[in-house]
Amino acid sequence: MKIAILGYGTVGKGLVDLIDNNKEKRNIKIQSILVRDKNKYKESKYAHLITDNIEDVFNKEFDILVELIGGLHPAYEYIKRALEDKINVVTANKDMLAEYGDKLVTIAKENHVSLRFEASVGGGIPVIKPLTESLEGNIIHNMYAILNGTTNFILSKMYDEGLSYEEVLKEAQQLGFAEANPEADVEGYDAARKLSILSTLAYDRRVYWKDFYLEGISKIDMKDIHYAKKMGCKIKLVGQSKLDDKKVSGFVRPVLVDNNSLLSRVDNEYNIVVFNGDSVGEVSFVGKGAGKEATGSSVYSDVIDIFDNRLCNIDSFTKEKIKVEKIIRNNCQALLRFKSPKTEEILEFINTYVDSYDIVDSNDDELVIMVYVNSEYKINNILRLIKDEGYCKESKKLLKIS
Ligand code: HSE
C-alpha cells in the first residue's frame, strides 16, 4: 500500500503519526511528502521522504494521493493530475470541494477512481460515510450543526473564562485548529463550505456555499455573552439547512441556543452534526471537529477504505445547482440591542409592529429586547424603520433557535 502525501502541516503530521502507530496492523508505505520548503525539515525523521518539488512526488509509484495542503491552487491541479493518472485521491480540502467538487467528481468518475473526503467536514467525526452510506435509505429533510472548531473554541472560552476574542483566537491558532487565514473561520466561510458539502450530499443537489445567509462571530462582544447568560443561553456559530419543496434554505450565523439544548453541550473544538431523516428521525454525530490526531483519523479511514476496495463516488456534486433561500420564514425569536438614548421611541415601534416581546435590559447605554415574530422579514423591516427614523444608527440582532 503506497501513498504520497501533499502537505505536512497539522493534519499531515496527524496522518503520518497514525500510519506509524498502526504499522503492525497496516503496512502503508509513504513514498513522498510534499512541503513548501524542504530545508525546514532537515532534522525530521522523515527527511528522506520530504521534497518541495511536485515532480518528485509524481515520479514515484503510488496508489493514493493524499492532499492536505489546503486552499484552491495548486491543490486543484495536483488532484486533477492524480485522478487523470488513474490514482485515487483522499483530501481534507473543504474549500476545494465546495468550489470544484463537481469538476473533480466528474474527472474521478471518468477515470474510474475514487475521490474521498471524510476529513473535509467535522474533523475526526465520521459524518460523510454515515450520511452517504448508513442513511442512504432516508430522505433528509433538514440538518443543523456546529461545523467549525476554532469559532466554537473561541465562543466557549469567551463564555466560560471571560477571555477576549483576540486572546482566544491566538490560542486556537497555536493549537492548530484555525485555518492559515483565520478569517475563513471567524467569518463563517469554513462552516458554510462544510454545510454546503453536507447539504449537497443530503439533498442530492448541488448547494453552493455562498448562497447561504452568512455571518461570522467577529462582532460578538462580551455584552452579547452577558445577555446570553442572563437568558440561560449560550452563543454558537450554527449552520442550518432545510429542503422544502425543491428549495433549500440555510444559514451560517451566531445564534442563541438554550442551555438545555443539544448544541449548547458541544463546546471548545468539538463539532456536532444533526440530520433529520424521514425514517431514522433525528440522528446526531459529535466529536472533535479540528486538530491533528482527530482529523488525521478521518484521513486514515479514507485511505484504508480505498485499500480495502470500498470504493465509491458520490454523484451529488455533479447535479444541478439548487436555489437557496437566505431568510427564516417561520416563527422565530431574536435578541435586539439598540445603543441609543431614544429608547421610548424605539419601544413604541416595537409595540406597534411586534406580536410579542420581553425587555431584557434597559439602561442609559442600551435597550435590549427579545422579540417573537412569524418571520425574520418582520424583524429586518422594523430595524430598517428604526434606522430610517434616526432612532438608532446601528442595532444588533441575534436569532435564538430551539
Ligand atoms: N479551521 C477548521 C476548524 C479546521 O476550526 O474547524 C477543521 O476543518
Side-chain angles (χ1 to χ4, degrees), residues 94 119-120 147-151 177-179 185 190 194 271 289-290 295:
K94 53 260 162 136
S120 66
L147 289 167
N148 183 268
T150 303
T151 45
F177 301 155
E179 296 301 303
D185 296 295
D190 180 74
K194 291 167 177 167
N271 283 189
T295 315

Side-chain angles (χ1 to χ4, degrees), residues 61-74:
E61 190 195 316
F62 58 99
D63 309 292
I64 302 177
L65 182 82
V66 182
E67 185 276 306
L68 304 171
I69 48 180
L72 295 180
H73 303 285

